[in-house]
Structure formats: structure tokens, C-alpha cells
């Protein structure tokens, strides 16, 4: 669902420091022990709500894969080697004991997120 309060986008000459600028949406996919993976949702960016006794605070595990999106010279958004990024992400998740997921399906979810937030992909000179 679209974000009713979109944030201003950085100017094309502004640097994009890692972990400092966030788009208007994010992808969430809940998992439960009874139902497994639920239907993916693209939601407006917001703070997360966690129970104070959440194990994430005491025994948190995280898996991160820094996939890159860029604007091609033809104006289309592209991902840099998404298949290899997804393979590494699946391997990392398996090593951490996370529930198995279909990397191809997750990649399609990420592509949909990029379609929603495509205006956040830098278009500065030298981007393509």
C-alpha cells in the first residue's frame, strides 16, 4: 500500500551514506511455526514494534545481503548480480538456522519493492 506521507528524496548531488537514508516502504514477510511463511507485504516505512522480552534483544541473529540497485542509462532500474546475492543470502540464513525460503520468490518480492520505490534510485550523473 502506498505511503500517504512520502519523505523528500535526496538531491542527485547529495551522497547516499549507508544506513542513513531510507525509502518510503519496506518489505515484510512474517513467519510462524504453525503457518510458515506468510504472504509478503510492502508497507509504508514505520518504526517496528517489538515486545520487550523479544529474543532479538538478547539472542538476536541477523542476516544481511547488500544487494545494489542502480538506474541504467535507459532509465530502467537494475539489480547488480541478484542471483549471486540471493544465493549468499540463502546460505547465510541456512547457517544461522533460519527457516528455509525460496530465494527466487524473495527476489520477486524485492523487485516489486523496487517498482514501488523506484523514484529513490539515484539518477545522478555517473549512476549508469
Amino acid at each position: 500500500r502506498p505511503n500517504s506521507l512520502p519523505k523528500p528524496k535526496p538531491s542527485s548531488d547529495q551522497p547516499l551514506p549507508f544506513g542513513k537514508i531510507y525509502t518510503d516502504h519496506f518489505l515484510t514477510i512474517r513467519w510462524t511455526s504453525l503457518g510458515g511463511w506468510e504472504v509478503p507485504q510492502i508497507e509504508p516505512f514505520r518504526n517496528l514494534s517489538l515486545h520487550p522480552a523479544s529474543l532479538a534483544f538478547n539472542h538476536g541473529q541477523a542476516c544481511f545481503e547488500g544487494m545494489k540497485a542502480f538506474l541504467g542509462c535507459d532509465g530502467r532500474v537494475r539489480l547488480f548480480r541478484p542471483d549471486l546475492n540471493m544465493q549468499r543470502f540463502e546460505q547465510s540464513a541456512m547457517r544461522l538456522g533460519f527457516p528455509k525460503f525460496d530465494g527466487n520468490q524473495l527476489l520477486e518480492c524485492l523487485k516489486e519493492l523496487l517498482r514501488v520505490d523506484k523514484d529513490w534510485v539515484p539518477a545522478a550523473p555517473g549512476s549508469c
Side-chain angles (χ1 to χ4, degrees):
R1 66 187 165 203
N3 191 334
S4 61
L5 299 170
K7 297 181 291 231
K9 315 254 181 325
S11 66
S12 61
D13 60 344
Q14 181 180 354
L16 297 174
F18 179 78
K20 302 285 184 197
I21 297 175
Y22 300 94
T23 64
D24 290 326
H25 300 88
F26 60 88
L27 173 68
T28 59
I29 310 172
R30 287 181 41 91
W31 184 88
T32 66
S33 58
L34 294 176
W37 292 108
E38 295 181 1
V39 176
Q41 302 288 322
I42 293 176
E43 301 177 0
F45 188 88
R46 60 176 165 70
N47 289 333
L48 298 176
S49 176
L50 296 173
H51 189 279
S54 172
L55 291 178
F57 293 121
N58 298 315
H59 307 286
Q61 293 178 314
C63 186
F64 173 82
E65 180 57 45
M67 191 178 312
K68 308 291 186 283
F70 64 95
L71 197 62
C73 292
D74 61 358
R76 292 180 51 211
V77 176
R78 292 188 167 70
L79 291 170
F80 181 70
R81 301 186 324 182
D83 52 336
L84 297 177
N85 285 80
M86 198 51 60
Q87 286 174 7
R88 284 192 300 271
F89 192 63
E90 287 179 284
Q91 290 170 352
S92 297
M94 183 182 69
R95 285 187 194 113
L96 288 168
F98 289 0
K100 185 163 176 48
F101 61 90
D102 184 323
N104 291 325
Q105 287 179 343
L106 179 56
L107 185 55
E108 290 306 311
C109 292
L110 292 172
K111 288 177 181 178
E112 181 59 25
L113 178 61
L114 276 172
R115 282 188 277 279
V116 170
D117 276 343
K118 67 183 178 294
D119 293 340
W120 282 89
V121 178
S127 295
C128 68

